[in-house]
Every structure is written in structure tokens, then in C-alpha cells.
Amino acid sequence: MTLFGVGAVNVYADSSASIKVDGIESMQQQKKVIKGIVKDNAGDPLIGVNVYNRSSGVGTITNIDGEFNLEVKAGDEVELSYIGYTPQKIKITTSTTNINITLVEDTEVLDEVVVTALGIKRSQKALSYNVQEVKGEELLGVKDVNFVNSLSGKIAGVNINSSSAGMGGATRVVMRGTKSLTKDNNALYVIDGVPIFNANGGGLSQNNEYADQPRGEGISDLNPEDIESMSVLTGPSAAALYGSSAANGVIIITTKKGVAGKPKITITNQTMFSNPLTKPKLQSTYGAGLDVESGKKLYRSWGDKTTAGSFKPSDFFDTGVTAQTSASLSVGSEKNQTYLSLGSANSSGIIPKSSYDKYNITVRNTTKFLDDKMTLDFGLSYIKQKDKNLIAQGKYGNPLTTIYTYPRGENFGLLNDYEKFDQLKGYDVQRWEEYGWGDEGLEMQNPYWVLNRNPKTNKKDRYMMNVNLSYDVLDWLNLSGRMRLDNSNNKMQNKYYASTRRTFSPENGRYRMIKEEYKQYYADFLVNINKHWGEEWSLSSNIGTSFSDIRSEGIGADGELLIPNFFALTNINKDYGKTEFIEQGWHEQTQSIFANVELGWRSMLYLTVTGRNDWASALANTSKKSFFYPSVGLSAILSEMFTLPEAVSYLQVRGSFASVGSPIPRSLSIPTYKWDAQGNSWETNSYMPIDDLKPERTDSWELGLSSKFWGNRLTFDFTWYRSNTKNQTFQIPISPSSGYTSMFIQTGNVRNQGVEMALGTNNTWGNFSWNSNLTASFNSNKITKLIEDGEFKDPQGNAINFEQMSQDGIGSSEFILKKGGSMGDLYTKNQFDRDDFGNIKLTAEGSPQTKNEFVKEGSVLPKWNLGFRNDFRYKDITLGVMLSARLGGIVLSPTEAILDGFGVSKRSAEARDKGGIPNGTSHIDPEKYYKTIGQTGGVLGEYVYSASNVRLQELSLGYYLPNKWFNDIAKVHVAFIGRNLWMIYNKAPFDPEVTASTGTYFQGVDYFMQPATRNLGFSVRVEF
């Protein structure tokens, strides 16, 4: 470039990142005001260009004539930036007085490149489907131990529910509605182009109150500081290249690499303090009742008013503390770059004796050789994790059943001394029944005994290694191969000390230990073509093959101890009738070929066709050994085709169709045998052999538009979709006279349709900038087909009638699937018996009468999900605010029912104060009323609530400390941060967005669920 003059400088700014203005080299420190004009390529002035003195922190914007004045001194660096144009930097010298600069349109801004399936970078304007990208820094402002929770509200079309297990718990991520009636509906995760097996332990084994407590998931092992960006492919069309894993959508994670140039060191810390956000409203007015015959106190707070006792259930909870610390180094030359990071996350939960600890080490190196034609990218990660006493809900292993229901007025402090030494037995025993309490219908124990003497721990060691080798054969032809190894070893232990309630443990105690090993091997080879023929035609294609092998092995034992409280496998009583020796595992493999062809015309019209064929081991012994998944899409850039109003910078319309799916359940087509520990023998399959099974298939249509206005200052995206998921696999009972107890059939159809919208703005006025993004998504879920009458016959020729499917529930509630309903329909089956006037009928004793009648209460699935994020910056002050909302759906709280039945709820006390429950012209005795309805088998329809809620989800207020404080060698940002701070609107007695299970069903049900937390803290980020 050519610079003219000494006092005045004319600069034509191209794609260079920095411009030095030559002049007199004696650098004096006097301040002065320089003038300038900023124009575009056509010579027209640019209005509102941000002119920022990076050295002093002072800035301004250009006026209507593109002019600006700015105070500077020699040596300062001035940056000019404008949406849609390449930003430029200018070094000020003593001779600089005027700057006349021409900014060039940044084609990468208006024509963004995003990471899509298989880690392939594609021009966003060529995409025929919706891809939403989240930058890594958007996850770091207010971090979560499981970074997936940080996506909530930031992506349209994605429903994210965090586990009530708290820190380290799994996350439920469902895109565009639940689709499969019998299989997992969680999204697929892809790291640097490679799909990973996400061992998710957050799904409950049963949809009822007896379920085991959950575990975490594999994706939460990642350090959020290592993430460069994430692309979210919500629709099957976007994910079609992943074939049998693509139906539920994909989250593509791109991790950080080393960067050429000056070494960069980043050190961060975020510390959060947590307290319960929502808790049951409990009373402290009425004490324990008395048994009329024995005179003993009852474990029910239906007695007289009391002033004794000062225990408040909220006093049980600790203040949770979570500290996340990370240090990273990025260093490299043009030929070789290295990235190294260390991370830790240490958390103690609000439940005493619960904890989560995670440690990460990551190394990545990228090297170019053979005249930069070949690139070798190698990465290695190690994760060490341990968690203890993760509690979601339920009455097994849950201290909250006792904490919430303990009789008011009684001395709760006695329970802190939860054990005492028994001279005859020779070991400490639980102190609970000596206080006169039993299991109380909830398998209760001393809550501190549960936490200290029934501990549940999980230890994990995981290492991941990946290598990517690519070679540029020609300027338009590239060959690449990738390999990834992902192994994890888990050790799970449940210890039950002697004198634990016999429901859970024999007399001497019980020990359960399982060692699990997960292994994943993945490899692929791709031929990548990117060819242009003049300005008319372009071809982008990827042709490849992949191999995925995943296996799980588990071994362990579960049984009574010979020596009390000595927890070792060698101390398990092999002769105890319930002792179980565990050996379990599975192995699956998929081999695939795939191709993606994108044909472009004049950079304004793009046709994309993809195809993938999978050979899956799940299809062994079936008539169909493989299955093919196609997709086709069309994208048109209207802003290139037509002359649109000047305000419209970019306008794209797109449409696509895809057919994707998932294989049949593992081992269904392979004869397997189950070991019967009680009968000491192998059990054979009891279902009828099958050979004609097809993969579950989802056919999806998608239409959308993307638009940008005023040079990217305002963006709007809209997508409509519709999908049908067919070939659902059902196991149905048949007559034993056929020689089998059940058979598998494939039918059913679940339809999801909805819209996704995103509205964003990015503006700068001098020293002030504002970035905002509003997301909204609507989904309608409907079962259009289950099993039609006469569609199938059993082996004896009898027509199979199957009008509905039950997915269990708690007490008198049940999830039922019917044609015309949704996958979240919740029913209750015990109702009030009312007279013709609507009054509740009473028994002779004055208790409410009930009747057995199924009533659909509604669906637990949301209708709308909304997120509204705003980021502000004024000079060195930053402010981030995010609101999120869920509209529609219902939730159920058996917890509230039981609290009413035990007389400890605030509602039950208020009813007593008012003289009873109004019923026509009379009142019902509160104790008789709530004892009737207040149980899991009671009238649970009285405990159904709206799930709609609005909350302040994230808040951060930060400040960049002056660089001069650190001799200009460090950039330091400090912030006050908060997460889940304020429930602005919520009618439910718990957080509707928290779930006890990350599986398909059992959403929206609270059964002594651990409360959601309000989190406040601070963060520090230092960059050298």
C-alpha cells in the first residue's frame, strides 16, 4: 500500500490487520486531536464507524459525513471497526494529524463460514438448513460445571433441562421435540468432527419413586475453556451425514488450537456460591399428633399448636461452593502451533457430604510440512473425576424425605448424633428407631446416617487421543484421515453400613461395587473437493468412509458383608441368597460410506445432496443388513439475485428434506442369555424370534430464511420444520400358549412440527456497544399412530389390540401414550367423587370419597421456549443480562401431596387456622381431607401446576482493570456473576426446568427432588 504525506495520511485499508503510519520516529508523549474521514469502496462516507483508542480506552464514532475527531498521543494504537467491514488498526506517530481511510467489506462477515457435519467448514449462504453457532466466550461469562447447561436459552429449537442432581449431573438436550417412543431422544455430540459416545447416567432406570439415584455424563468431562465454538444442528437435514445417529440433532464442538505469533497465557477462576432457589412452603405452628390408644407421638404434624423446637428444614442445606480454575498456553510459529491447558472444577453441593471434583489436562499440536501441503493435528486429553452422593429425587437414599416431613416441635438436633456404639454388636449403629420413628411409609432413616453411612461414590479416569492428517494434493483437492480413541474407566461404589434399614441392606451391611470400562474407536477417510469454474459454477464435495466401534464392559459384585462394615469384594457373603456377581457388557460397530455434493451457481444458488449408508451390527441376523439415508436441499441468495432495498444487506431462503434414523435396539436380533442369580441358571429369550426389523426412521422437511440488515447490524432467522418418526419398535405381550411371552413389532408415527426464530442486533456508538439476541421456538408433538386394529397378528393368528402404552408414574399418576396425544401426556387415576352440585362426597367418618377414573391432566412438554440475551460495554465496563422463559405444559408434585398428608405444609396449617376446607355450605376437617389426598395414591390432580416460568438466568457485571496497573503486560477482567438468580414468574412449587431424569419420560415430576439453586459469585480472567 502507498502512504502519502507526513502530516496527513491517506490509507486504502485492505485485508491487512494492522497499518503503521510512518513519520518522525521521536515518540513524544504530548496529547493531540487528530481528524479523519472514513469511506467505503465507492467513496461514500461511512456513518457510525467505531474509532477506538486502544491505548487510552477513549473512543468516538464518525458523523454523517464520515468524519471524526479523536484525542491521541504518539505511540497509541487506534482501531476502526464497522459491522460488515474488515477492522483496521493504525499506529500513531508524532507526525500524524489527519487520517483518511477506506474500509473494505468483510466478506467473511456477510458470508460467514460455519462448522457443519463431520467438522467440515462451509459457507453459511450455501446451507439449506438451519445452523446456529455459539462462540466459546459465550460459555465462559457465567460457567456451569456441565457446560451444556450454559446453552440454555441461547439456541432456538433446543430444550435443555439440567439434572436435579446438581453439580456434575447430566443434562437432557432435546432438539425439535421428542421423536422416539422407546429410545433415547438426547442429541448427538461431536468433537472436532468425530461423534462421541456420551455415557449418560442421568436417566432413571424406572419411572417411579423407587428409582436409583443418577450419575453424570461423558460430555460434561470437557473443560469449557478448551472450546473454541459450537455449531448446533437442530434438524435432521443438517445432521444427515451422521446417518443412524442424526435423528435427534447434533452439537458440534470445535476445540482450541495453538495460534502463531506471540505466546499467550490465560489464567481464569470462577467461584460460585449456591443456595436453594425454590423450596416447599412449610409450617412450624402445629406439632406432632398423639396416638389415641398408646399415647405415643406420631410422625405426623397433626397435633396442637406448639412453640417447641426451632428447626427449620432450610437449615439443613449447606451453602454450595463451586470453584473452576484453568490455565492455558498458546504458542507457535507459522509452521507449528501448540495449545496446552490445565483445568479443575471442585464443588461441594447444598446437600451435606455431596461433592464433585474434576481435573483436565489437554495438549494439542498442529504442524505443517511438505511445503505446507500436509498438516498433522494431534491432541491428547486426560480427565480425572470423582463425585459423591449425587441425589436427584425419590425415597431411596434421599435424606430430604425426613428433612421435609420431620414432626414440628420435635428436637431435630438429636439426629445430628446419628450413630452410637453397640457393645454387643461391636460397631456403631444407627440412631433413628430409638427416637420412636419407623419407616413411615417412605423407608425413612436418619438423614445424617444416609449421607455418612450410605455413601455413593463414582470415580472416573478418561483419556482421549485424536490425530488428523490432511494433504493438499491440488489447490482444489484435499485428502484427510482422522482417528480417535476415547476410553474411560469408572468405579462405582455403594456402601451400606450395618444397621441400615433392611430394605436396603442385610444385618452386617452391604457392598456394591462395579467397574465399568467404555472404549470407543473411530476412524474416517475423506476426499474433499472445492473447485470453481470462473464466476459461474462451484463444486464442493466430501466423499468418505468411517468406522466406529464402541464397547462397554462391567464387572463387580453386590451382596451382604461377612465382617460388618469391611467393604471389600472378598468380604461379600457368597452364600447370601441375594448376593449378585455382576458381569455385563455390550459391543456395537458401524461401518459407513457417505458423500456430500454441493453445486453452486454464481454464488447465489446452491444445491446440496447427501447420502450415507450404514452397516450396523445391531442389524445382524435380520433381512436388511444396511440402510441408506439421503438428504437434499436448496439455498438461494435473493440479495445476490435481485436489487433489494439498501437496508437489506443479505437475504437467503432455503429448503431441505432428509431421511435419517437410528438402528434397532442393541442385541435384539442376536440371541442373548441373562443370568438368574436367584435360580443360579441362565434365562433364555422369551420373545418370539424376529428377522425382519428395520431401523427407526425420521423424515423431515425444513423451510427457512436468513436475513441481515444495515451491514449486519440487525439479523433475523426463521425456520419451519416438520418431521415424522416411523418404524418404532414395540415389545408387546402375547399368549404364553404360543410358546413365547412377547413379540416385537414395528409401527407407530410421532409427528413434530414447529418454528425457530432468532433476532439479533449488534451496534456501537462511540465507547458504548450493545449486542442482543432473542431466540424463540415452538414445537407441537403428536402421536399420529400406535398400532392399528388388525395391523398385526400374534403367532396364533389373533389380532393384536394395543390402544395405548403406559410409561409408569408415581402412585396414582401415569404417563400414557395414545393416538392423538403427545409423548408427554400425564394422567391421574384417582379423583374426588362429587355430587350433582360439584361438592365432594364424604364418608360416614367425614373423609372425602374418591373414585378410580383416568383423567388427562395435560402434557409436560413445553409449547414455547424463549431466550433474551443482552451484552453491553461502555469503555472498560461490561454488563451481560440473560432472561429465559418456558411457556406451556404442566408439572406434578407428589412431594406437595405427601407434605400435606404429613401435616407439615404451610397450606395444611392455614386450613386449620381457617376451620377447614370449604365444601358447599360446610367444611371438611383438614386432617381427614389432606390424609385422603396427600399421598402418592391420593388425588394427585390437586397437585398439578402450570410449568410456564420466566427467570433471570444469567447476570455478569465486569470491569477491565487498567493495563498500566500491570505494566502493560497483562489484561485483567474481573466480574460479579450470577446464574438462576430470580424466578420472575413461576406457579409451580419447584423449578419446572429441572429434571430428575434425563431420559425420554418422567419429566416434570417432583418427588422429593433436590431444589434448584441460586448461584452468585465472581470471576477473574488474566491474559498475558
Side-chain angles (χ1 to χ4, degrees), residues 470-753:
S470 67
Y471 181 70
D472 295 328
V473 181
L474 300 168
D475 59 356
W476 55 269
L477 178 63
N478 170 272
L479 305 178
S480 67
R482 293 180 293 205
M483 294 183 64
R484 182 181 181 87
L485 172 69
D486 186 349
N487 289 357
S488 65
N489 297 286
N490 303 324
K491 182 180 180 180
M492 298 171 290
Q493 297 183 88
N494 292 6
K495 298 178 180 179
Y496 300 87
Y497 282 68
S499 77
T500 293
R501 184 165 295 284
R502 292 299 181 88
T503 304
F504 312 112
S505 170
E507 182 178 357
N508 286 349
R510 173 187 165 198
Y511 182 45
R512 178 180 176 87
M513 190 279 287
I514 300 177
K515 287 187 176 180
E516 283 184 340
E517 183 178 29
Y518 292 103
K519 294 182 178 181
Q520 179 186 12
Y521 303 95
Y522 177 90
D524 65 22
F525 176 77
L526 286 87
V527 178
N528 306 301
I529 300 170
N530 193 352
K531 180 72 173 175
H532 292 261
W533 291 272
E535 297 182 358
E536 291 284 324
W537 297 97
S538 65
L539 174 67
S540 177
S541 179
N542 314 97
I543 304 169
T545 181
S546 67
F547 169 86
S548 176
D549 187 278
I550 307 174
R551 64 181 67 208
S552 170
E553 297 176 355
I555 190 168
D558 182 359
E560 179 190 32
L561 299 175
L562 292 169
I563 302 173
N565 302 337
F566 176 52
F567 298 96
L569 293 181
T570 53
N571 189 42
I572 289 180
N573 183 359
K574 300 177 180 61
D575 298 324
Y576 178 64
K578 294 184 179 180
T579 292
E580 179 184 6
F581 292 97
I582 302 166
E583 186 173 9
Q584 58 193 21
W586 50 265
H587 180 202
E588 64 182 26
Q589 187 178 109
T590 303
Q591 302 172 18
S592 310
I593 58 173
F594 50 81
N596 169 78
V597 178
E598 174 195 291
L599 182 64
W601 181 69
R602 292 190 175 184
S603 297
M604 63 177 66
L605 190 64
Y606 297 88
L607 174 66
T608 303
V609 179
T610 72
R612 178 177 174 121
N613 201 84
D614 286 350
W615 288 265
S617 60
L619 292 175
N621 301 323
T622 67
S623 59
K624 195 173 182 64
K625 306 301 183 186
S626 70
F627 36 94
F628 179 73
Y629 295 123
S631 79
V632 60
L634 187 67
S635 169
I637 315 303
L638 300 185
S639 52
E640 298 286 342
M641 295 179 174
F642 310 102
T643 301
L644 301 177
E646 187 176 345
V648 182
S649 306
Y650 176 82
L651 181 62
Q652 175 203 28
V653 293
R654 46 186 163 78
S656 62
F657 168 79
S659 180
V660 297
S662 58
I664 62 176
R666 187 187 304 123
S667 300
L668 192 60
S669 64
I670 303 173
T672 56
Y673 299 88
K674 181 180 179 182
W675 176 253
D676 180 9
Q678 303 299 319
N680 199 32
S681 63
W682 292 98
E683 294 181 354
T684 59
N685 288 329
S686 60
Y687 58 82
M688 187 176 72
I690 42 179
D691 62 357
D692 186 23
L693 284 177
K694 300 174 289 293
E696 184 177 281
R697 189 172 290 272
T698 297
D699 294 335
S700 174
W701 294 89
E702 178 177 326
L703 296 173
L705 67 85
S706 296
S707 55
K708 301 176 183 181
F709 304 90
W710 297 289
N712 215 25
R713 285 190 174 184
L714 182 68
T715 63
F716 176 70
D717 292 274
F718 175 87
T719 302
W720 170 89
Y721 63 86
R722 180 170 182 170
S723 68
N724 288 277
T725 304
K726 306 173 183 179
N727 293 344
Q728 311 250 8
T729 304
F730 300 94
Q731 184 176 15
I732 60 173
I734 59 178
S735 173
S737 61
S738 64
Y740 305 100
T741 60
S742 64
M743 66 179 289
F744 285 90
I745 59 175
Q746 290 188 307
T747 184
N749 186 0
V750 176
R751 186 188 70 200
N752 284 278
Q753 69 176 14

Side-chain angles (χ1 to χ4, degrees), residues 103-116:
L103 293 182
V104 178
E105 285 188 355
D106 186 353
T107 58
E108 291 189 359
V109 172
L110 293 178
D111 180 17
E112 297 177 356
V113 176
V114 295
V115 179
T116 62

